[in-house]
Amino acid sequence: MPRHALIIVDLQNDFVEGGALAVSGGLELIPLANQWMPQFDVVIATQDWHPKNHQSFASQHPGVSIGDVFDLNGLSQVAWPDHCIQNSFGAKLVDGLNLSRINTIIQKGTDPEIDSYSGFFDNGHRKATCLADFLRSNDVDRVSVMGIATDYCVRFTALDAVTAGFQTTLILPGCRGVEMQTGDIKAAVEQMAAAGVTISPETP
C-alpha cells in the first residue's frame, strides 16, 4: 500500500534562535514536528553536515562577505556564515525534537566543493543522496515537507521531490524562511506551486 512520508528539513541548532544562521521562529517548529510525526507512515529528517572548510562559507574566501553571491565551481553561490559543521553542536538536530519517531536522517552538504540545499541532490544535481531510494524502498508515493528554510532548503527539497515523481505537499505553517531580500519567501512558495507542489495553509 502506498505510504505518506514527512520530510523535516534541517531542524538544527545553527538554524534556530541563537544559532550561527538563525531563522526567526525556528524554535516554534519543534512542537509542530512532534505533533505531526505520528500522523505519517515514514518520517525523514535532513541534516546539513558541512566539513569545516566548506566552500559556501564566506570565511573561506578573502574579500567575500556573508550574503555576497559568487561563483563556486560554475554555480551561483550565496556566501554563508560557518554553520552546521560536522559533529558540532550547531549541526545537531534541535533539542526537544522527538528523534524516536524519525526513521532515517539524510545528511547533505558533505562535499566541500558544492552546496546542497535539497535533501535529494547537491545544488548542481551532480550527486544524489539516498533519500529518493529510501522513500521508494519504503513504498512512499506522497511526501509532505516542513522545516527550514522556506526559501532555500525547503524549497529545493520540495522541487526535487516533485521531479522525482512524489506527490508533494508543502506544510506552510511548518516552515520558516530566511528572507534575505523582501519577497524571497513569497517567490519561493510561488515557484513550488508552479512546479506542482500542493501548498497547504493548514496543519496536517
Side-chain angles (χ1 to χ4, degrees):
M1 179 178 293
R3 305 172 85 198
H4 191 181
L6 177 66
I7 302 176
I8 302 170
V9 178
D10 296 2
L11 278 193
Q12 296 169 259
N13 290 321
D14 269 345
F15 292 136
V16 299
E17 289 83 346
L21 188 45
V23 172
S24 179
L27 289 171
E28 299 168 0
L29 301 184
I30 301 169
L32 298 179
N34 289 341
Q35 176 186 340
W36 298 340
M37 281 191 267
Q39 302 177 42
F40 291 84
D41 302 305
V42 179
V43 179
I44 299 104
T46 68
Q47 184 181 32
D48 252 10
W49 196 246
H50 296 313
K52 62 184 178 181
N53 66 332
H54 200 276
Q55 296 302 298
S56 69
F57 297 164
S59 63
Q60 299 298 305
H61 305 277
V64 172
S65 300
I66 293 168
D68 287 351
V69 177
F70 65 100
D71 182 276
L72 179 60
N73 298 317
L75 296 174
S76 179
Q77 175 66 53
V78 176
W80 300 112
D82 291 21
H83 66 279
C84 297
I85 293 170
Q86 295 173 5
N87 300 306
S88 69
F89 173 78
K92 285 185 176 181
L93 297 177
V94 288
D95 289 341
L97 190 65
N98 185 1
L99 301 182
S100 69
R101 286 277 183 179
I102 296 172
N103 298 101
T104 194
I105 297 170
I106 302 292
Q107 293 178 335
K108 60 191 182 67
T110 58
D111 183 340
E113 298 301 323
I114 191 167
D115 214 351
S116 297
Y117 296 150
S118 168
F120 289 90
F121 286 97
D122 63 50
N123 287 2
H125 279 214
R126 296 167 185 171
K127 290 182 182 176
T129 68
C130 60
L131 178 51
D133 289 342
F134 178 84
L135 292 169
R136 293 187 184 107
S137 69
N138 283 276
D139 300 318
V140 170
D141 70 345
R142 291 189 297 147
V143 300
S144 290
V145 183
M146 66 169 295
I148 300 171
T150 318
D151 37 349
Y152 287 93
C153 296
V154 168
R155 169 170 57 137
F156 287 101
T157 297
L159 291 172
D160 281 345
V162 168
T163 301
F166 299 100
Q167 183 181 331
T168 305
T169 298
L170 179 77
I171 308 173
L172 199 55
C175 300
R176 298 293 182 272
V178 175
E179 191 86 343
M180 290 184 75
Q181 303 290 332
T182 301
D184 281 356
I185 294 172
K186 181 175 183 287
V189 172
E190 289 173 350
Q191 182 187 9
M192 287 183 269
V197 177
T198 299
I199 310 298
S200 175
E202 309 293 333
T203 60

